[in-house]
Amino acid sequence: MQRGKGMKFVGDSRIKSEGRMVNMPKDYSEYPGKTEAFWPNFLLKEWMVGAVFLIGYLILTVAHPSPLERQADPTDTAYIPVPDWYFLFMYQLLKYEFASGPWNVVGAIIMPGLAIGALMLVPFMDTTKERRPSKRPLPTAFMLLAFASIFYLTWESVVNHDWEAAARQGAIVEEVEFDENSEGYQIYAGASCIGCHGDSFQGGLGDPLVNNGLTVDEIKEIVINGRGDMAPGLFDGSDEELEVLAEFIESLNQ
């Protein structure tokens, strides 16, 4: 064995010829402003931005609480549920003839599946390193089409929905105690009133009847001549039954 420069003793496995490697992040000084170490530089920035957004969301939830509605009633077929705003475009899509009824699977599965599949394929169809939108026509066109479609369907859903009726249907009304065996409630249940105003006077297609502030004469006037969406002449009972019904509804004002 020759002695001198470059000599290595490899017989002892406890001695590494290249020395001990320290787990240190790579030096990126040769690429200023282009890249940085993931830990801790990048993660620290992510956590700081995330903390700012989290505090902002907490402030919004405290300042503007979620608008709650009355307890869900599976027997109320008049109530029309509406999804959150970010699903309104899907809700509007199901209103069209080609995507509803017997073709419901088209609007619920096929069309959204094609849209999501197209967006997932964009990175594989466009492999250029160019970042300018004008130089990337395919992904730019897909994103503009998706944005335009979602915006249009969301807008159509908002302007064509009766938000006032939805607010009345979902309004939280005070519960009142009443006797279901009373003559007034029997007349109320036997007439067409219960179908629109609910079995507990909570409202639905019609207005809630609890604490409406109406007098007996005003109630009789509305029952006979109608008001708003309520058509006249729906009550076919006698004058005595109408008097009992009006007094019973007036008793709900507590």
Side-chain angles (χ1 to χ4, degrees):
M1 178 184 297
Q2 297 181 356
R3 297 180 178 273
K5 186 178 181 180
M7 180 179 63
K8 298 180 180 179
F9 296 91
V10 296
D12 191 343
S13 60
R14 294 174 299 174
I15 302 176
K16 297 182 179 180
S17 60
E18 301 297 335
R20 189 171 68 89
M21 299 297 294
V22 182
N23 187 18
M24 296 291 292
K26 184 179 179 181
D27 183 13
Y28 293 99
S29 59
E30 299 179 3
Y31 311 97
K34 294 184 179 181
T35 186
E36 60 181 340
F38 180 77
W39 171 265
N41 301 22
F42 181 78
L43 281 184
L44 181 60
K45 294 179 180 180
E46 291 288 305
W47 289 339
M48 292 178 63
V49 174
V52 171
F53 275 92
L54 178 60
I55 295 174
Y57 290 145
L58 292 176
I59 294 175
L60 286 176
T61 55
V62 173
H64 301 281
S66 176
L68 300 179
E69 295 185 350
R70 62 180 172 86
Q71 186 175 359
D73 182 7
T75 64
D76 184 8
T77 58
Y79 181 78
I80 303 176
V82 179
D84 290 322
W85 64 268
Y86 42 83
F87 282 133
L88 282 179
F89 70 98
M90 293 285 296
Y91 175 72
Q92 178 64 22
L93 183 63
L94 296 176
K95 295 181 181 179
Y96 297 119
E97 184 177 356
F98 62 86
S100 61
W103 305 100
N104 190 45
V105 65
V106 176
I109 298 178
I110 295 179
M111 295 186 68
L114 290 176
I116 296 175
L119 292 176
M120 293 178 63
L121 288 176
V122 168
F124 301 98
M125 299 170 62
D126 181 79
T127 57
T128 178
K129 296 182 179 180
E130 183 63 51
R131 305 189 65 177
R132 288 178 294 181
S134 59
K135 298 295 184 179
R136 304 179 64 193
L138 189 61
T140 302
F142 271 117
M143 291 305 301
L144 290 177
L145 179 61
F147 176 79
S149 301
I150 293 175
F151 180 85
Y152 172 77
L153 291 174
T154 302
W155 175 263
E156 284 292 308
S157 179
V158 170
V159 299
N160 292 320
H161 186 71
D162 191 347
W163 295 101
E164 294 182 359
R168 291 196 303 267
Q169 292 176 354
I172 299 177
V173 296
E174 298 181 19
E175 295 184 0
V176 295
E177 295 182 359
F178 58 91
D179 184 8
E180 294 186 0
N181 297 320
S182 65
E183 184 180 3
Y185 188 82
Q186 294 300 321
I187 297 173
Y188 173 82
S192 57
C193 310
I194 195 171
C196 295
H197 298 283
D199 57 348
S200 299
F201 318 103
Q202 73 274 15
L205 292 177
D207 296 335
L209 299 181
V210 178
N211 292 331
N212 54 27
L214 298 175
T215 64
V216 172
D217 293 335
E218 290 174 337
I219 295 173
K220 292 166 61 177
E221 175 68 19
I222 294 174
V223 172
I224 296 173
N225 298 320
R227 186 180 71 174
D229 295 333
M230 180 177 176
L234 295 179
F235 183 76
D236 55 359
S238 64
D239 293 341
E240 292 77 11
E241 291 176 336
L242 177 58
E243 183 72 23
V244 174
L245 175 62
E247 292 177 355
F248 174 75
I249 296 176
E250 193 271 341
S251 68
L252 300 176
N253 295 325
Q254 298 180 358

